[in-house]
Amino acid sequence: DAGVIQSPRHEVTEMGQEVTLRCKPISGHNSLFWYRQTMMRGLELLIYFNNNVPIDDSGMPEDRFSAKMPNASFSTLKIQPSEPRDSAVYFCASSIRTGVTEAFFGQGTRLTVV
Amino acid sequence: AQSVTQLGSHVSVSEGALVLLRCNYSSSVPPYLFWYVQYPNQGLQLLLKYTTGATLVKGINGFEAEFKKSETSFHLTKPSAHMSDAAEYFCAVSEDSNYQLIWGAGTKLIIKP
């Protein structure tokens, strides 16, 4: 298995532009998580899905952020409009929601908003 | 409410010395406990986990951790540090009824030659 695949690995964009981050979870996993990691705040859970349905989006910082999971093999995190304070590494992770199993992380997308 | 406390944002040890990274948690039910490692510019990778059974858990790369219920701790150890162990380590907890992970702030492990 190729693991969790995120794209792009790096994104540099100008303030005000729309940014879309993509994630392909591990096949057969039915839970998907989006995290944001910064030096100041550490690792923050933004949103998680179970069976493609958003269960908890309380970590989404504001309405500029939105996430979708149209099917079991694809999810997007969109920021519109982007701001410099959105600069961070964004991770996607997936897991099997049967019992307690570990989350498998992608390599992350390093977003820089200038 | 669950919480995880990692003592020390940075820990420095000499190569060959014992590694000890501390993790304490609060949970209203018996928890599931995890240690993850993050190498520079990489995602997080599971080192080891405790769910039930033996309280001493062995993981990858020679790491192990012991679940001590009375101390609400899950400290990570390795007998002899190697330069390749330099990374950031995260402790996380999950309760049976809620599989969502609660994360510690992380500890950066620095290995001195």
Side-chain angles (χ1 to χ4, degrees):
Chain A
D1 197 315
V4 176
I5 299 173
Q6 291 186 245
S7 64
R9 288 294 311 275
H10 303 274
E11 176 80 33
V12 180
T13 191
E14 291 184 347
M15 183 174 62
Q17 295 298 306
E18 177 180 295
V19 175
T20 300
L21 311 181
R22 296 173 175 80
C23 175
K24 176 178 169 56
I26 294 172
S27 177
H29 284 192
N30 56 4
S31 293
L32 184 138
F33 307 83
W34 281 102
Y35 287 93
R36 179 172 68 177
Q37 186 178 41
T38 61
M39 291 289 290
M40 292 296 295
R41 294 176 173 268
L43 196 62
E44 302 174 276
L45 177 65
L46 300 177
I47 186 171
Y48 75 87
F49 295 84
N50 187 52
N51 292 326
N52 312 335
V53 175
I55 303 301
D56 183 356
D57 64 355
S58 59
M60 296 285 263
E62 47 196 279
D63 292 345
R64 297 184 297 106
F65 286 70
S66 62
K68 294 182 179 179
M69 193 166 185
N71 57 61
S73 59
F74 184 66
S75 178
T76 59
L77 178 67
K78 186 178 292 186
I79 308 172
Q80 166 63 21
S82 58
E83 297 182 3
R85 60 195 169 112
D86 302 330
S87 298
V89 181
Y90 292 81
F91 288 103
C92 176
S94 70
S95 70
I96 298 173
R97 191 177 184 267
T98 52
V100 179
T101 60
E102 64 267 29
F104 291 80
F105 282 74
Q107 299 271 55
T109 295
R110 183 174 295 275
L111 173 65
T112 303
V113 183
V114 298
Chain B
Q2 302 168 79
S3 67
V4 178
T5 301
Q6 291 184 240
L7 187 62
S9 60
H10 293 75
V11 170
S12 181
V13 303
S14 297
E15 190 174 18
L18 171 72
V19 175
L20 171 60
L21 303 182
R22 300 179 188 273
C23 174
N24 288 89
Y25 67 90
S26 66
S27 175
S28 58
V29 299
Y32 299 90
L33 297 157
F34 304 80
W35 274 102
Y36 281 78
V37 60
Q38 184 180 27
Y39 298 104
N41 301 314
Q42 298 290 321
L44 281 74
Q45 175 185 1
L46 182 72
L47 263 182
L48 50 79
K49 66 178 178 180
Y50 169 79
T51 54
T52 59
T55 56
L56 182 62
V57 180
K58 295 187 184 298
I60 61 172
N61 301 338
F63 284 92
E64 62 183 34
E66 186 170 11
F67 169 54
K68 291 187 176 180
K69 183 179 179 181
S70 61
E71 299 177 7
T72 61
S73 68
F74 191 56
H75 301 331
L76 182 70
T77 60
K78 182 174 180 177
S80 177
H82 191 272
M83 295 300 292
S84 61
D85 295 326
E88 189 159 17
Y89 293 79
F90 292 87
C91 182
V93 63
S94 176
E95 293 181 351
D96 184 43
S97 61
N98 178 2
Y99 61 90
Q100 182 182 156
L101 291 173
I102 305 300
W103 296 88
T107 298
K108 283 193 176 174
L109 178 62
I110 301 161
I111 310 296
K112 297 179 292 186

